Amino acid sequence: MLDGRAVSFGGLSVISQAFAQGATPAAGGGDMLIQFIPFILIFVVMWFLILRPQQKRAKAHQELVKGVRRGDVIVTSGGFIAKVTKIVDDSEIEAEIADGVKVRIVRSTIADVRTKSEPVKTDTPAA
């Protein structure tokens, strides 16, 4: 038979590819969702194991840097241990790394605060 469905060659029957592909129904939307489930699960696992803890650490570091005051002993990301002598502005501080040696340090390079100082006392009486 040569109508496009089957051709016989010496007892062997060959089905044309076009007819064989058309015999199965088209893939539905459910198959697409099932294919994306592993990617969604991988993203969720990465979120809870990597991204979320990293965001928490970044927020904690930001709060640590905001809370630096005069008199605190800090460690910079370069490894210097210094005592804060002056808050220059929101992004910089002045610190003493040795007797009489003062440097300006960018706040974001503060890695740790070793010793927190007492709050600065004001001379105004509390009413």
Side-chain angles (χ1 to χ4, degrees):
M1 191 186 317
L2 294 174
D3 62 353
R5 294 187 189 203
V7 178
S8 179
F9 293 108
L12 296 174
S13 179
V14 179
I15 301 173
S16 68
Q17 282 185 326
F19 184 70
Q21 289 176 353
T24 59
D31 291 339
M32 199 67 150
L33 180 65
I34 291 172
Q35 290 177 355
F36 282 116
I37 286 177
F39 293 111
I40 293 169
L41 289 175
I42 289 171
F43 179 75
V44 168
V45 168
M46 285 183 61
W47 173 263
F48 282 107
L49 293 179
I50 298 172
L51 298 175
R52 192 166 166 246
Q54 182 181 7
Q55 288 175 344
K56 282 186 175 182
R57 279 192 306 269
K59 187 175 181 180
H61 181 260
Q62 195 174 36
E63 292 298 319
L64 177 83
V65 169
K66 277 185 187 176
V68 171
R69 296 184 276 201
R70 190 177 77 227
D72 290 349
V73 176
I74 60 169
V75 179
T76 66
S77 59
F80 288 107
I81 298 174
K83 185 173 184 177
V84 178
T85 58
K86 180 180 171 186
I87 305 297
V88 177
D89 58 19
D90 288 341
S91 63
E92 292 182 4
I93 62 170
E94 184 177 279
E96 186 174 27
I97 57 175
D99 291 334
V101 181
K102 293 181 181 178
V103 294
R104 289 176 66 170
I105 299 172
V106 177
R107 278 185 184 244
S108 61
T109 62
I110 296 173
D112 191 22
V113 178
R114 285 223 173 143
T115 307
K116 295 291 284 180
S117 64
E118 295 296 320
V120 177
K121 296 182 180 172
T122 58
D123 293 334
T124 58

